[in-house]
Amino acid sequence: MAIRNIVNFGDTILDKKCRTVEKFDRKLHMILDDMAETMDNANGVGLAAPQIGLLKRIAIIDIGDGLVEFINPEILETSGTQDGMEGCLSNPGKYGMVERPNYVKVKAQDRHGKWFELEGEELMARAICHETDHLYGVLFTSKASRMLTPEELEEMQNEDEE
Ligand code: CO
């Protein structure tokens, strides 16, 4: 496994649509393993392939209850809304308020090509929407009602330290 470089906002690769994954081979597994290590190293809860420079429909999420790998994910159903803070490993230190569905049902393939369905609420629903958006070249800043001010960020950090 290896830690890959994370692409930052401003790089046009993040604005592009990703291609469907067709081969579920060792190369894919290596990408997935590298993505997991890269995300862990950056203390993130989600990472999409374009963020390591690959235009492939691959995303991973770990909100603290286990890693989920999503290949070729498609959102099937959403309901409710939540308004909350969101950030991205490709835009370090910046957070915005983004409205998302409170419930999401998604289908995707696992690393062996097997389809599965998964339901998520709250943070999981937010993460699924955020990472799926990446695969269409959509960044959270385009959906944010506003970005947090430096004062609000400082307050947030103080809360974390308490
Ligand atoms: Co992101």
Side-chain angles (χ1 to χ4, degrees), residues 26-54:
R26 275 184 57 199
K27 195 181 157 200
L28 173 69
H29 297 174
M30 202 157 64
I31 293 168
L32 285 162
D33 292 343
D34 285 358
M35 283 176 69
E37 197 176 350
T38 305
M39 180 177 74
D40 277 352
N41 182 255
N43 292 314
V45 297
L47 188 71
Q51 293 181 275
I52 58 159
L54 299 172

Side-chain angles (χ1 to χ4, degrees), residues 91-162:
N91 198 14
K94 303 269 173 35
Y95 296 88
M97 296 303 290
V98 184
E99 194 180 289
R100 297 285 191 185
N102 198 50
Y103 163 90
V104 171
K105 186 186 196 176
V106 62
K107 77 165 184 175
Q109 284 166 284
D110 69 13
R111 60 164 61 206
H112 304 292
K114 191 172 185 288
W115 286 96
F116 65 94
E117 282 185 13
L118 188 134
E119 293 173 300
E121 288 182 324
E122 298 173 9
L123 179 59
M124 189 61 180
R126 177 176 296 281
I128 291 168
C129 293
H130 179 110
E131 300 311 330
T132 308
D133 274 355
H134 269 300
L135 307 182
Y136 294 98
V138 175
L139 301 174
F140 83 96
T141 40
S142 72
K143 293 189 167 176
S145 56
R146 65 182 186 87
M147 297 303 286
L148 298 193
T149 63
E151 290 76 23
E152 285 171 311
L153 286 174
E154 201 177 317
E155 215 168 278
M156 225 175 67
Q157 276 169 346
N158 291 339
E159 275 168 24
D160 283 349
E161 281 161 14
E162 275 164 17

